[in-house]
Amino acid sequence: MDRGGERIGTCYNAAMSVEELKKAVASLPSKELARFRAWFEAFDASKWDEQIEADINAGKLDKYAEEALAEHKAGLTRKL
């Protein structure tokens, strides 16, 4: 990472292993680690949303929806 000519930590490239990436993240200064953490949290949530959407579109969750509706119709649910 480069900021105003100052090198901070290790730059990521596609050839980095997970272990190298872990070391690079561990070497980040506090403010950069906080920025990375916030970015990664948003990135991870976005990937989760994409996976859920793909699973919905593929019908992978239909069984669970049907079970929930059946339980509701059978009176096995309660208001929150």
Side-chain angles (χ1 to χ4, degrees), residues 2 4 7 9-10 16 22-23 25 27 29 32-33 39 43 48-49 53 55 57 61 63 65 67 73-74 78:
D2 188 355
R7 185 173 170 82
T10 303
M16 271 180 112
K22 285 179 182 180
K23 287 178 186 176
V25 170
S27 72
E32 291 299 308
L33 180 58
W39 169 82
F43 171 80
W48 175 260
D49 290 346
E53 187 71 28
D55 289 348
N57 291 335
L61 303 178
K63 173 182 140 184
E67 286 177 10
K73 287 178 185 176
R78 59 183 170 85

Side-chain angles (χ1 to χ4, degrees), residues 5-79:
E6 175 187 4
R7 185 173 170 82
I8 301 174
T10 303
C11 294
Y12 174 77
N13 65 56
M16 271 180 112
S17 70
V18 171
E19 289 306 313
E20 291 169 320
L21 186 55
K22 285 179 182 180
K23 287 178 186 176
V25 170
S27 72
L28 290 172
S30 306
K31 286 184 179 182
E32 291 299 308
L33 180 58
R35 286 182 58 216
F36 173 78
R37 188 181 301 120
W39 169 82
F40 188 79
E41 183 179 341
F43 171 80
D44 195 39
S46 174
K47 290 297 180 182
W48 175 260
D49 290 346
E50 288 174 14
Q51 184 62 57
I52 292 293
E53 187 71 28
D55 289 348
I56 289 169
N57 291 335
K60 292 182 179 181
L61 303 178
D62 291 354
K63 173 182 140 184
Y64 302 108
E66 290 167 8
E67 286 177 10
L69 289 171
E71 288 179 7
H72 182 68
K73 287 178 185 176
L76 301 174
T77 59
R78 59 183 170 85
K79 289 187 178 188

